[in-house]
């Protein structure tokens, strides 16, 4: 995995430098020190957008060229996509042009992370939300668009870069790697299951369980994955489970508060609650109803065993 410092070196229009704990960024308009958080609107453009494509992107963002004076802008190159995402996504998915663009607008405290997408085929809004919350994003409206239907692979990196500059909070290379792994693993799982919503909900449920219990061991993480899958009526293969364990071992080491992830990714966790699933506070009776007679039979066998001993 390429280090974040190296990853940023290829920027042509802007530079994001980490040295001595200080971050700087350059846009077409100005140079902003890490401590300057006066702007709360950022756009990361795919560098390879043609003029007509950029015009379409701005249209989808709901702004005009003249509105860009109210935003700080940065760019993402295709080489950066390959350097940073290449360990997780095939080069054919990443493609040869950086086209996906992302707008990040800071919102009021407690509003959570809200993501919308247009012309993005590889990842859903829920997948972006889960991964961005893992990366530490809070209270932001994130809009991911393409000039036409594209994978959108660079958007996660663009969103993290924009948020880091906007808030002055450095996102470490390890955290960015973890969030990228989570996004790609979720997308792959969705493809395997044929159901993006279930994939999003499973990742959210496992994260809730892992962070609630302070789980870090692979054995406990595997248990959390399997119990969450049963609760959501998801049939995972052994490969699915192992891929999720590998990814969640990274996620579990991030400094993320369970209340924060439930607040920031509120829409996903609300869906889980609507289904009666709260793995941090499992209702045994409700869980039995969801997973069938499996646990009930175990409990009955235990009862019969002790009845035989003392009866």
């Amino acid at each position: 995995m390429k280090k974040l410092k190296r990853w940023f070196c290829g920027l042509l229009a802007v530079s994001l430098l980490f040295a001595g704990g200080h971050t700087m960024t350059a846009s077409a308009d100005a140079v902003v020190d890490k401590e300057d958080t006066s702007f709360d609107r950022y756009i990361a453009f795919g560098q390879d957008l043609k003029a007509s494509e950029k015009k379409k992107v701005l249209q989808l963002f709901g702004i005009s060229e003249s509105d860009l004076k109210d935003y700080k802008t940065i760019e993402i190159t295709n080489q950066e996509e390959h350097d940073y995402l290449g360990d997780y996504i095939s080069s054919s998915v990443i493609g040869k042009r950086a086209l996906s663009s992302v707008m990040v607008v800071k919102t009021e405290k407690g509003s959570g992370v809200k993501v919308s997408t247009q012309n993005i085929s590889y990842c859903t809004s829920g997948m972006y939300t889960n991964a961005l919350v893992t990366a530490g994003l809070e209270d932001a409206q994130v809009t991911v668009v393409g000039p036409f239907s594209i994978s959108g692979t660079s958007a996660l990196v663009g969103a993290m870069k924009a948020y880091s500059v906007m808030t002055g909070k450095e996102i470490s290379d390890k955290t960015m790697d973890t969030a990228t792994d989570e996004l790609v693993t979720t997308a792959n799982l969705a493809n395997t299951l044929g159901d993006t919503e279930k994939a999003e909900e499973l990742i959210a449920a496992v994260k809730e369980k892992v962070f609630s219990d302070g789980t870090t061991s692979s054995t406990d993480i595997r248990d959390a994955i399997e119990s969450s899958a049963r609760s959501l009526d998801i049939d995972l293969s052994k490969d699915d489970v192992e891929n999720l364990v590998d990814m969640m071992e990274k996620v579990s080491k991030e400094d993320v508060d369970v209340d924060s992830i439930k607040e920031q990714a509120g829409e996903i966790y609300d869906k889980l609650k609507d289904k009666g699933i709260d793995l941090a506070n499992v209702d045994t009776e409700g869980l039995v109803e969801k997973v069938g007679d499996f646990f009930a039979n175990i409990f009955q066998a235990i009862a019969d065993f002790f009845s035989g001993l003392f009866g």
Side-chain angles (χ1 to χ4, degrees):
M1 174 55 62
K2 309 296 187 300
K3 293 295 183 181
L4 187 56
K5 292 179 181 177
R6 180 180 176 186
W7 182 82
F8 283 140
C9 288
L11 281 180
L12 299 180
V14 298
S15 296
L16 212 67
L17 302 175
F18 294 89
H22 294 284
T23 303
M24 299 187 72
T25 183
S27 73
D29 306 323
V31 175
V32 182
D33 185 75
K34 178 178 178 179
E35 300 304 321
D36 180 2
T37 57
S38 55
F39 273 75
D40 58 5
R41 302 177 183 184
Y42 273 75
I43 295 177
F45 286 112
Q47 189 192 50
D48 298 315
L49 289 168
K50 297 177 182 177
S52 60
E53 293 168 343
K54 185 174 181 180
K55 183 177 181 180
K56 178 64 176 179
V57 165
L58 290 174
Q59 238 177 10
L60 294 174
F61 281 148
I63 63 174
S64 65
E65 185 80 29
S66 62
D67 292 326
L68 286 177
K69 67 181 183 299
D70 298 323
Y71 295 79
K72 290 299 177 184
T73 61
I74 58 179
E75 289 187 339
I76 309 163
T77 71
N78 184 247
Q79 184 59 54
E80 291 166 351
E81 291 181 356
H82 284 276
D83 285 348
Y84 199 76
L85 302 170
D87 286 353
Y88 299 106
I89 304 174
S90 70
S91 59
S92 62
V93 174
I94 298 173
K96 297 181 179 180
R97 299 174 65 203
L99 298 172
S100 57
S101 302
V102 57
M103 176 192 291
V104 180
V105 178
K106 191 169 178 60
T107 54
E108 64 182 10
K109 186 173 178 58
S111 59
V113 174
K114 303 290 191 300
V115 180
S116 60
T117 66
Q118 293 194 67
N119 289 338
I120 301 298
S121 61
Y122 187 74
C123 304
T124 65
S125 59
M127 293 176 195
Y128 284 120
T129 300
N130 270 331
L132 290 171
V133 169
T134 293
L137 267 71
E138 296 180 347
D139 305 322
Q141 176 65 51
V142 180
T143 307
V144 183
V145 304
F148 43 84
S149 182
I150 56 176
S151 67
T153 51
S154 67
L156 177 69
V157 180
M160 290 189 287
K161 281 179 58 177
Y163 185 81
S164 177
V165 176
M166 181 170 63
T167 61
K169 298 177 180 178
E170 181 178 336
I171 299 177
S172 71
D173 54 342
K174 181 176 75 68
T175 295
M176 292 184 76
D177 173 46
T178 298
T180 302
D181 192 355
E182 179 179 335
L183 181 75
V184 175
T185 299
T186 309
N188 289 341
L189 179 63
N191 184 59
T192 300
L193 297 178
D195 191 323
T196 58
E197 186 171 300
K198 279 195 171 183
E200 294 166 10
E201 291 177 353
L202 176 61
I203 299 303
V206 173
K207 281 165 68 173
E208 179 183 1
K209 181 67 174 171
V210 165
F211 285 115
S212 292
D213 295 349
T215 299
T216 57
S217 75
S218 59
T219 299
D220 290 339
I221 288 173
R222 185 175 289 101
D223 289 344
I225 291 167
E226 292 175 344
S227 64
S228 298
R230 286 194 297 267
S231 298
L232 289 165
D233 195 25
I234 296 174
D235 185 20
L236 296 176
S237 69
K238 289 183 179 179
D239 285 343
D240 291 333
V241 172
E242 293 312 310
N243 288 336
L244 290 173
V245 168
D246 290 342
M247 181 270 288
M248 282 304 305
E249 281 187 303
K250 291 183 182 180
V251 172
S252 69
K253 293 176 175 60
E254 292 297 321
D255 184 17
V256 180
D257 178 74
V258 66
D259 292 330
S260 176
I261 65 170
K262 291 169 73 174
E263 179 183 79
Q264 296 302 317
E267 292 180 359
I268 297 174
Y269 287 99
D270 285 344
K271 288 180 183 179
L272 291 175
K273 287 182 181 178
D274 289 343
K275 295 181 179 182
I277 299 169
D278 184 358
L279 292 175
N281 300 286
V282 176
D283 174 3
T284 303
E285 183 176 350
L287 185 60
V288 170
E289 293 174 358
K290 294 180 183 64
V291 302
D293 296 330
F294 179 75
F295 287 115
N297 291 338
I298 291 177
F299 296 145
Q300 186 60 53
I302 293 172
D304 291 344
F305 174 74
F306 282 105
S307 177
L309 285 178
F310 303 107

